[in-house]
Amino acid sequence: MQLVIRRERPAGVEIEALITERLAQSAQTSPPESNHALGIGALDMSSVVFLTARLGEALAGCGAYVPIDAATAEVKSMFVRPAFRGQGVARTVLARLETDALAEGIRAFYLETGTDSFAARQLYEASGFSY
């Protein structure tokens, strides 16, 4: 199956279900004061770049970035459904977010991930992020 990454509006039943799943995971893995996951309304802003990842017809995951200023953005809503993990989906979404951001003049990417999010931390470290 071919992995297709594309910009989409974060709307519709299918994407709303994905975001709901992502929010539920965040609620399970992070205490409320450390949970900064964005809901569908916050993702559906004109300034937010939202990407979907599809393997065949299946919506496998998503990622987004939110501009902070003209040269800085924060990575948000990185999520891959459990059935699609370990197939490079997150790495491909993150690379596309970086490519799109660079094309739009973003020169610094920030993100926040929980200290218990070992897989996420490994992904970000392997992709060149540092503490």
Side-chain angles (χ1 to χ4, degrees):
M1 264 186 274
Q2 181 181 5
L3 178 63
V4 176
I5 310 295
R6 67 177 175 233
R7 285 189 188 199
E8 286 192 57
R9 184 168 170 241
V13 174
E14 183 183 33
I15 292 175
E16 288 177 14
L18 179 74
I19 299 303
T20 298
E21 191 176 334
R22 193 261 183 272
L23 292 172
Q25 178 197 322
S26 292
Q28 289 176 346
T29 59
S30 299
E33 66 275 7
S34 297
N35 190 340
H36 306 290
L38 298 180
I40 199 82
L43 289 169
D44 196 14
M45 305 283 287
S46 62
S47 60
V48 175
V49 173
F50 181 81
L51 302 179
T52 59
R54 295 178 184 274
L55 272 168
E57 296 296 314
L59 181 57
C62 63
Y65 71 81
V66 178
I68 296 169
D69 58 38
T72 310
E74 182 177 7
V75 176
K76 300 296 284 186
S77 297
M78 288 290 297
F79 179 70
V80 176
R81 286 185 157 143
F84 300 100
R85 292 179 184 163
Q87 299 179 50
V89 175
R91 186 176 316 280
T92 305
V93 170
L94 183 60
R96 172 68 185 273
L97 286 170
E98 290 179 297
T99 298
D100 287 5
L102 282 169
E104 293 179 13
I106 301 295
R107 298 294 175 248
F109 247 176
Y110 294 95
L111 60 88
E112 181 177 334
T113 191
T115 57
D116 293 339
S117 300
F118 299 112
R121 291 174 64 164
Q122 287 178 330
L123 167 69
Y124 298 133
E125 289 170 8
S127 298
F129 285 81
S130 61
Y131 297 96

